Amino acid sequence: MCWKHVPLGGPGAGGATDPATGRPTATDGRWFGVSPADEAALEVALALRARAGGPSTVTVVALGPPAADSVLRVALAAGADRAVRVDAGAALGGATVAAALAPTLDGADLVWCGDYSLDRGTGSVPAFLAGRLGAAQALGLVGVDLDAWRTGAPLRVVRRLDGGRREVLDVGPPAVLSVVGSVASLRRAGLAAALASKSAPIDVVAGPPDDPDAAAGVVTPYRPRARVLPPPVGETLSRVRGLLRMSGGDAARAETVTLDPPAAAARIVAQLREWGYLDADPAPD
């Protein structure tokens, strides 16, 4: 699974920032950590290991400078079996990060990630990583059915969609999955485990150099492109009823569709175009 070493207090937390990039230059571990989504991903991985039994292991991989070892020791204290740091700087794009992480994660049954990080928040690395590994992907998960899972069976997960919709998926290995922070709370490490983690070995592998094309100074959460909505029409009371879905407002539309994966993908793309999230399909030459 993947963790990301991030400043918890935003730019300048615990120290100065680089004026050229806006990124924090402090290395004091007290001001750095991981996102709640990353913690949730580790907790899910640990819970699955407990249910699987046998030789199942949890390896936590983080990309960053030596200061990132502090968050890897937190993962080891919580119960991870192995920690690996890909030695690299912060100025890397999502595709480059995924390419650097992929060799360490190759061969894993399930790769768990946080859905977003506290610094850039794009959530792009899990998708790039799935492409690199040639694995299935299920991103933006708001639910993981741990109780019903059995070794060798697909894992049932719930994915968040726009407009409050949900998508239920059965995912089998190999797969890359990303979860939101509300899925699980990371267990509290015992004193003995916390002390042992301070001297536990952390494997370090060479990473890529800084990417000059990576976005610089992006430390606020990612926000998707705003949708263009028509102006309100009708009297105020009917509009309020429509917003609250009270009687007299338009009925909420719901539709259950069962399709093969290629047809389902085409249906999703068509619906995204209808909602305005994607440009219209270009006319054929």
Side-chain angles (χ1 to χ4, degrees), residues 254-268:
E255 184 179 6
T256 301
V257 179
T258 302
L259 298 170
D260 292 333
R267 177 66 181 273
I268 291 171

PDB file of all heavy atoms in Angstrom, residues 254-268:
ATOM      1  N   ALA A 254     -33.777   7.723 -10.369  1.00  0.00           N
ATOM      2  CA  ALA A 254     -32.866   6.644  -9.995  1.00  0.00           C
ATOM      3  C   ALA A 254     -32.993   5.543 -11.042  1.00  0.00           C
ATOM      4  O   ALA A 254     -34.089   5.267 -11.542  1.00  0.00           O
ATOM      5  CB  ALA A 254     -33.201   6.107  -8.614  1.00  0.00           C
ATOM      6  N   GLU A 255     -31.890   4.937 -11.349  1.00  0.00           N
ATOM      7  CA  GLU A 255     -31.880   3.914 -12.385  1.00  0.00           C
ATOM      8  C   GLU A 255     -30.837   2.870 -12.032  1.00  0.00           C
ATOM      9  O   GLU A 255     -29.705   3.216 -11.683  1.00  0.00           O
ATOM     10  CB  GLU A 255     -31.565   4.530 -13.745  1.00  0.00           C
ATOM     11  CG  GLU A 255     -31.625   3.545 -14.907  1.00  0.00           C
ATOM     12  CD  GLU A 255     -31.332   4.219 -16.239  1.00  0.00           C
ATOM     13  OE1 GLU A 255     -30.982   5.414 -16.219  1.00  0.00           O
ATOM     14  OE2 GLU A 255     -31.445   3.549 -17.275  1.00  0.00           O
ATOM     15  N   THR A 256     -31.214   1.605 -12.074  1.00  0.00           N
ATOM     16  CA  THR A 256     -30.282   0.504 -11.849  1.00  0.00           C
ATOM     17  C   THR A 256     -29.994  -0.166 -13.182  1.00  0.00           C
ATOM     18  O   THR A 256     -30.922  -0.576 -13.890  1.00  0.00           O
ATOM     19  CB  THR A 256     -30.869  -0.521 -10.865  1.00  0.00           C
ATOM     20  OG1 THR A 256     -31.148   0.136  -9.622  1.00  0.00           O
ATOM     21  CG2 THR A 256     -29.880  -1.659 -10.627  1.00  0.00           C
ATOM     22  N   VAL A 257     -28.720  -0.247 -13.522  1.00  0.00           N
ATOM     23  CA  VAL A 257     -28.320  -0.781 -14.820  1.00  0.00           C
ATOM     24  C   VAL A 257     -27.316  -1.904 -14.604  1.00  0.00           C
ATOM     25  O   VAL A 257     -26.386  -1.765 -13.809  1.00  0.00           O
ATOM     26  CB  VAL A 257     -27.682   0.317 -15.705  1.00  0.00           C
ATOM     27  CG1 VAL A 257     -27.253  -0.265 -17.038  1.00  0.00           C
ATOM     28  CG2 VAL A 257     -28.652   1.461 -15.903  1.00  0.00           C
ATOM     29  N   THR A 258     -27.515  -3.017 -15.272  1.00  0.00           N
ATOM     30  CA  THR A 258     -26.569  -4.136 -15.239  1.00  0.00           C
ATOM     31  C   THR A 258     -26.002  -4.338 -16.638  1.00  0.00           C
ATOM     32  O   THR A 258     -26.739  -4.659 -17.568  1.00  0.00           O
ATOM     33  CB  THR A 258     -27.257  -5.424 -14.755  1.00  0.00           C
ATOM     34  OG1 THR A 258     -27.824  -5.199 -13.455  1.00  0.00           O
ATOM     35  CG2 THR A 258     -26.247  -6.568 -14.673  1.00  0.00           C
ATOM     36  N   LEU A 259     -24.703  -4.106 -16.775  1.00  0.00           N
ATOM     37  CA  LEU A 259     -24.062  -4.173 -18.084  1.00  0.00           C
ATOM     38  C   LEU A 259     -22.722  -4.871 -17.982  1.00  0.00           C
ATOM     39  O   LEU A 259     -22.125  -4.928 -16.901  1.00  0.00           O
ATOM     40  CB  LEU A 259     -23.839  -2.748 -18.650  1.00  0.00           C
ATOM     41  CG  LEU A 259     -25.086  -1.884 -18.912  1.00  0.00           C
ATOM     42  CD1 LEU A 259     -24.663  -0.460 -19.221  1.00  0.00           C
ATOM     43  CD2 LEU A 259     -25.902  -2.451 -20.058  1.00  0.00           C
ATOM     44  N   ASP A 260     -22.239  -5.369 -19.105  1.00  0.00           N
ATOM     45  CA  ASP A 260     -20.874  -5.879 -19.175  1.00  0.00           C
ATOM     46  C   ASP A 260     -19.903  -4.708 -19.051  1.00  0.00           C
ATOM     47  O   ASP A 260     -20.254  -3.562 -19.359  1.00  0.00           O
ATOM     48  CB  ASP A 260     -20.642  -6.613 -20.499  1.00  0.00           C
ATOM     49  CG  ASP A 260     -21.457  -7.906 -20.584  1.00  0.00           C
ATOM     50  OD1 ASP A 260     -21.740  -8.464 -19.509  1.00  0.00           O
ATOM     51  OD2 ASP A 260     -21.803  -8.325 -21.700  1.00  0.00           O
ATOM     52  N   PRO A 261     -18.656  -4.954 -18.597  1.00  0.00           N
ATOM     53  CA  PRO A 261     -17.714  -3.846 -18.392  1.00  0.00           C
ATOM     54  C   PRO A 261     -17.561  -2.897 -19.570  1.00  0.00           C
ATOM     55  O   PRO A 261     -17.608  -1.677 -19.380  1.00  0.00           O
ATOM     56  CB  PRO A 261     -16.412  -4.579 -18.039  1.00  0.00           C
ATOM     57  CG  PRO A 261     -16.861  -5.832 -17.375  1.00  0.00           C
ATOM     58  CD  PRO A 261     -18.110  -6.235 -18.100  1.00  0.00           C
ATOM     59  N   PRO A 262     -17.376  -3.370 -20.835  1.00  0.00           N
ATOM     60  CA  PRO A 262     -17.226  -2.403 -21.938  1.00  0.00           C
ATOM     61  C   PRO A 262     -18.465  -1.532 -22.127  1.00  0.00           C
ATOM     62  O   PRO A 262     -18.358  -0.324 -22.325  1.00  0.00           O
ATOM     63  CB  PRO A 262     -16.967  -3.284 -23.161  1.00  0.00           C
ATOM     64  CG  PRO A 262     -16.435  -4.576 -22.595  1.00  0.00           C
ATOM     65  CD  PRO A 262     -17.163  -4.762 -21.302  1.00  0.00           C
ATOM     66  N   ALA A 263     -19.647  -2.160 -22.030  1.00  0.00           N
ATOM     67  CA  ALA A 263     -20.883  -1.391 -22.197  1.00  0.00           C
ATOM     68  C   ALA A 263     -21.083  -0.437 -21.026  1.00  0.00           C
ATOM     69  O   ALA A 263     -21.571   0.686 -21.195  1.00  0.00           O
ATOM     70  CB  ALA A 263     -22.074  -2.338 -22.318  1.00  0.00           C
ATOM     71  N   ALA A 264     -20.705  -0.881 -19.818  1.00  0.00           N
ATOM     72  CA  ALA A 264     -20.830  -0.008 -18.650  1.00  0.00           C
ATOM     73  C   ALA A 264     -19.927   1.207 -18.780  1.00  0.00           C
ATOM     74  O   ALA A 264     -20.323   2.335 -18.460  1.00  0.00           O
ATOM     75  CB  ALA A 264     -20.493  -0.790 -17.383  1.00  0.00           C
ATOM     76  N   ALA A 265     -18.698   0.994 -19.263  1.00  0.00           N
ATOM     77  CA  ALA A 265     -17.771   2.122 -19.442  1.00  0.00           C
ATOM     78  C   ALA A 265     -18.327   3.118 -20.456  1.00  0.00           C
ATOM     79  O   ALA A 265     -18.265   4.337 -20.253  1.00  0.00           O
ATOM     80  CB  ALA A 265     -16.401   1.606 -19.879  1.00  0.00           C
ATOM     81  N   ALA A 266     -18.875   2.608 -21.571  1.00  0.00           N
ATOM     82  CA  ALA A 266     -19.445   3.491 -22.590  1.00  0.00           C
ATOM     83  C   ALA A 266     -20.639   4.265 -22.031  1.00  0.00           C
ATOM     84  O   ALA A 266     -20.815   5.453 -22.331  1.00  0.00           O
ATOM     85  CB  ALA A 266     -19.866   2.674 -23.820  1.00  0.00           C
ATOM     86  N   ARG A 267     -21.437   3.599 -21.192  1.00  0.00           N
ATOM     87  CA  ARG A 267     -22.605   4.265 -20.596  1.00  0.00           C
ATOM     88  C   ARG A 267     -22.171   5.380 -19.652  1.00  0.00           C
ATOM     89  O   ARG A 267     -22.761   6.466 -19.628  1.00  0.00           O
ATOM     90  CB  ARG A 267     -23.443   3.229 -19.846  1.00  0.00           C
ATOM     91  CG  ARG A 267     -24.662   3.811 -19.125  1.00  0.00           C
ATOM     92  CD  ARG A 267     -25.682   4.372 -20.113  1.00  0.00           C
ATOM     93  NE  ARG A 267     -26.827   4.932 -19.417  1.00  0.00           N
ATOM     94  CZ  ARG A 267     -27.888   4.227 -19.050  1.00  0.00           C
ATOM     95  NH1 ARG A 267     -27.937   2.929 -19.350  1.00  0.00           N
ATOM     96  NH2 ARG A 267     -28.892   4.786 -18.415  1.00  0.00           N
ATOM     97  N   ILE A 268     -21.119   5.124 -18.870  1.00  0.00           N
ATOM     98  CA  ILE A 268     -20.628   6.135 -17.937  1.00  0.00           C
ATOM     99  C   ILE A 268     -20.102   7.347 -18.693  1.00  0.00           C
ATOM    100  O   ILE A 268     -20.371   8.499 -18.338  1.00  0.00           O
ATOM    101  CB  ILE A 268     -19.541   5.535 -17.034  1.00  0.00           C
ATOM    102  CG1 ILE A 268     -20.160   4.514 -16.070  1.00  0.00           C
ATOM    103  CG2 ILE A 268     -18.837   6.627 -16.224  1.00  0.00           C
ATOM    104  CD1 ILE A 268     -19.133   3.720 -15.293  1.00  0.00           C
TER     105      ILE A 268
END
